[in-house]
Amino acid sequence: MRQRLINKTEPQETSLPSSRMAGRSAVVAEATSLQSLLFDSNISREEWIEGLKHHSKILTNLLLNDQVKEFDQYLRSEFSSELPEGKKGLKDIDYRPVLQDLLQTAILIEHSTIPPYLTALYSIQDGTNALASQIIRSVAVEEMLHLIMVCNVLNAINIQPSVNKQQNYPTYPMKLPMNVDFYVGLETFSTNSIATFIAIESPSNPLVKAPKSAPEVESERVFAARSVAQQESNFWTLENMNGFIMENVHTIGEYYDVLFFYITIFQIIAYYNEHGTLPQSFNDINTGGIFTGDPAKQIRPEQYYGSGGKLHSVEALEGVIAVFQEIKGQGEGADDSIFDVDPSQFEEGAELAHYFRFKEIFHEHFYVGGNYEPFMDENGMMPVTTPPTGKALEVNWNAAYPLKENPKLSDYSSNAELHAQGVEFNKTYRRLLDAIQSAVEGNQRELEKSIMYMYALKEQAVNLLKQPLNSQYNAGPTFEYTDL
């Protein structure tokens, strides 16, 4: 079943606490201040969940939209200068294993998209679908950028990232580690694979500014709520924090929003533990605290050799903001637009976010230059599901090798030469990840090897894709963990 690309009908709340949500959750949120959410061990599970929803939305919207003055006002309205006697809550939690787990999951999310994107790209036959190839390639490169920037965040809080171990490998077909109801896999270039990519990059917001100058494929989204064991009087555990994500997070953008909230909360707690008072401004929590990592381990823009997007190093909370703005903007659009955070590094001016780039391929038209008045409201906003109506983008869906879905090395066991080629591809992919791992451990020059490995990957993948596996399908890359 495909993920429903947008199933929300209410606009997200972006105001300060004076404008509360309607209904029962508003009562809970009104009663649960940020201070109580963090330190009061007597609040109920419902108060904790609704308070987390409420404050994560406000805090994230303010800081990820550069509204620092409003954030300072929010902090002062939520925090008294002193913590009442006997309040503990989150104060004594060890943030390191929690953030290690959550940020490693973010690495897995980014990593999980790269093999599917590369497989579809490699399956396109030479000399065909030039524009579609360019779009898929640009997105794959930016996902690698995202992975490296998440590693920068981990290094900034003095936790060693891990990208090349067997447990870090995605296994296809798989669901992303969020509350989604669709599978991601290794497929040939087709309307089916591009529809999956659209689902992966689905935005959090239901509306987007219409750009100036075939029907959508959707199905009903079903969410299976997971029960989460609660510890009495303390809901701030890794299990509960992950449980909140599994019940309430449905897009990559939403995952980064909640993750950013958790990081900021731990920075607030670190400030309190050091100073004995609660922070009253962004400047209070920007530096120090959990950011104890070695700056020499940061991958910096001049050391990254990918094209497209901007790499941000991280030494303080403002660096985390820049990273998450870049990741969210490239995936789902920035500032309620269909465009990326940065000007294009490619040929056609402003670059579209991943979701909208894939929709251009799927609908075989560009966004820019189209007429969106029939879809627009009085504020110039249109549903994100609006198809592109600009000039035609030529796509030949038949010009792709008939790859067996989610191939495994075991599929090639009866053909020694084919099996050996599959192993060599996986070794090259392993070497690419090893180079990234070495770089995020402080050997940044190792990233230079990534270009060589990417060229080798394409050649090896195409050689596999050209070979028949049976009467229906050809072989293909498997992206399985392989010892060197």
Side-chain angles (χ1 to χ4, degrees):
M1 181 183 292
R2 294 288 172 216
Q3 178 191 34
R4 184 174 175 81
L5 302 184
I6 284 293
N7 71 333
K8 301 178 182 178
T9 57
E10 297 181 2
Q12 290 191 339
E13 179 182 355
T14 58
S15 58
L16 291 177
S18 58
S19 174
R20 301 293 187 176
M21 299 175 289
R24 170 59 183 153
S25 60
V27 175
V28 174
E30 188 74 47
T32 308
S33 67
L34 183 60
Q35 182 165 311
S36 294
L37 182 68
L38 304 188
F39 297 103
D40 191 347
S41 58
N42 295 317
I43 63 174
S44 68
R45 181 179 185 276
E46 183 185 13
E47 288 173 320
W48 182 78
I49 291 174
E50 294 300 334
L52 203 159
K53 288 179 183 178
H54 181 72
H55 290 291
S56 65
K57 186 178 295 184
I58 292 174
L59 185 151
T60 299
N61 280 336
L62 292 176
L63 288 184
L64 293 188
N65 287 290
D66 299 318
Q67 298 180 41
V68 176
K69 290 183 179 179
E70 291 82 356
F71 174 76
D72 291 350
Q73 177 188 345
Y74 165 65
L75 275 190
R76 289 191 294 269
S77 71
E78 293 292 325
F79 288 157
S80 60
S81 58
E82 295 183 2
L83 194 63
E85 193 72 25
K87 298 292 186 181
K88 287 187 175 181
L90 187 58
K91 185 167 67 73
D92 300 321
I93 192 172
D94 183 1
Y95 70 87
R96 291 176 58 83
V98 175
L99 291 185
Q100 181 174 27
D101 183 274
L102 295 170
L103 284 162
Q104 280 294 150
T105 297
I107 289 176
L108 177 60
I109 290 172
E110 302 299 343
H111 189 177
S112 298
T113 67
I114 294 169
Y117 294 167
L118 290 180
T119 298
L121 173 65
Y122 297 152
S123 71
I124 296 174
Q125 296 175 2
D126 288 344
T128 68
N129 293 308
L131 291 174
S133 295
Q134 178 180 307
I135 289 171
I136 300 172
R137 183 183 301 108
S138 71
V139 174
V141 168
E142 288 171 4
E143 298 297 350
M144 194 76 73
L145 171 74
H146 298 174
L147 185 152
I148 290 172
M149 288 196 292
V150 175
C151 290
N152 274 350
V153 176
L154 273 162
N155 271 326
I157 58 178
N158 202 24
I159 299 174
Q160 180 63 58
S162 180
V163 299
N164 65 339
K165 301 295 189 292
Q166 187 169 3
Q167 61 266 29
N168 304 132
Y169 269 61
T171 302
Y172 302 101
M174 65 172 290
K175 288 188 176 183
L176 296 180
M178 303 176 296
N179 189 1
V180 297
D181 66 347
F182 66 98
Y183 285 87
V184 177
L186 305 179
E187 301 180 47
T188 193
F189 174 72
S190 66
T191 56
N192 193 61
S193 59
I194 297 300
T196 300
F197 300 166
I198 291 171
I200 290 172
E201 305 287 352
S202 178
S204 306
N205 292 324
L207 298 175
V208 68
K209 294 175 186 174
K212 298 177 181 178
S213 344
E216 187 75 35
V217 176
E218 297 187 354
S219 61
E220 184 176 358
R221 191 176 189 172
V222 180
F223 301 124
R226 297 190 177 186
S227 61
V228 180
Q230 303 292 344
Q231 291 189 5
E232 184 178 356
S233 75
N234 180 20
F235 301 111
W236 291 100
T237 66
L238 174 59
E239 184 178 21
N240 292 340
M241 294 164 77
N242 265 326
F244 177 85
I245 289 173
M246 288 307 304
E247 292 180 358
N248 298 280
V249 170
H250 317 305
T251 71
I252 293 175
E254 288 175 349
Y255 183 86
Y256 278 105
D257 282 347
V258 174
L259 176 54
F260 178 75
F261 176 72
Y262 289 157
I263 290 172
T264 306
I265 290 306
F266 283 123
Q267 185 66 349
I268 289 172
I269 299 303
Y271 180 91
Y272 175 80
N273 287 336
E274 181 178 351
H275 298 277
T277 59
L278 291 167
Q280 301 294 301
S281 71
F282 177 76
N283 284 337
D284 288 344
I285 61 171
N286 182 35
T287 59
I290 67 174
F291 296 103
T292 60
D294 183 359
K297 288 189 175 182
Q298 292 292 310
I299 306 295
R300 303 184 185 277
E302 63 271 17
Q303 297 160 334
Y304 179 68
Y305 299 91
S307 59
K310 182 178 181 181
L311 188 143
H312 299 276
S313 58
V314 180
E315 297 179 34
L317 188 58
E318 61 186 356
V320 180
I321 292 173
V323 164
F324 283 21
Q325 286 175 332
E326 185 79 11
I327 292 174
K328 287 191 63 183
Q330 286 186 337
E332 62 184 42
D335 300 324
D336 294 325
S337 77
I338 68 173
F339 296 103
D340 196 348
V341 179
D342 296 317
S344 172
Q345 303 297 315
F346 303 96
E347 302 176 353
E348 294 272 344
E351 184 76 5
L352 269 62
H354 298 175
Y355 173 82
F356 299 99
R357 286 185 235 175
F358 285 135
K359 283 177 70 69
E360 287 186 325
I361 298 175
F362 187 87
H363 293 283
E364 303 180 33
H365 283 84
F366 292 99
Y367 272 97
V368 176
N371 177 21
Y372 302 98
E373 290 185 7
F375 307 97
M376 292 164 54
D377 62 19
E378 65 276 8
N379 298 314
M381 306 294 285
M382 68 180 188
V384 296
T385 52
T386 303
T389 61
K391 68 178 182 180
L393 190 166
E394 184 178 348
V395 179
N396 182 354
W397 297 107
N398 295 318
Y401 296 108
L403 167 70
K404 179 186 185 296
E405 285 190 25
N406 305 307
K408 307 293 182 186
L409 281 177
S410 57
D411 295 327
Y412 310 150
S413 57
S414 61
N415 186 326
E417 182 178 351
L418 197 57
H419 187 273
Q421 291 180 17
V423 169
E424 284 306 307
F425 175 91
N426 290 337
K427 286 184 176 181
T428 301
Y429 189 65
R430 166 73 186 278
R431 292 185 182 102
L432 172 64
L433 296 182
D434 286 351
I436 295 173
Q437 181 67 39
S438 182
V440 301
E441 290 177 359
N443 306 305
Q444 290 90 341
R445 291 292 300 271
E446 287 293 298
L447 275 183
E448 297 177 13
K449 298 178 181 178
S450 63
I451 299 176
M452 172 185 67
Y453 292 136
M454 288 299 291
Y455 278 114
L457 277 178
K458 180 180 179 180
E459 181 179 356
Q460 292 170 340
V462 171
N463 285 339
L464 283 165
L465 286 157
K466 287 181 176 179
Q467 299 186 58
L469 183 60
N470 53 43
S471 59
Q472 281 187 293
Y473 300 111
N474 286 14
T478 67
F479 291 93
E480 294 172 278
Y481 178 86
T482 301
D483 290 324
L484 296 179

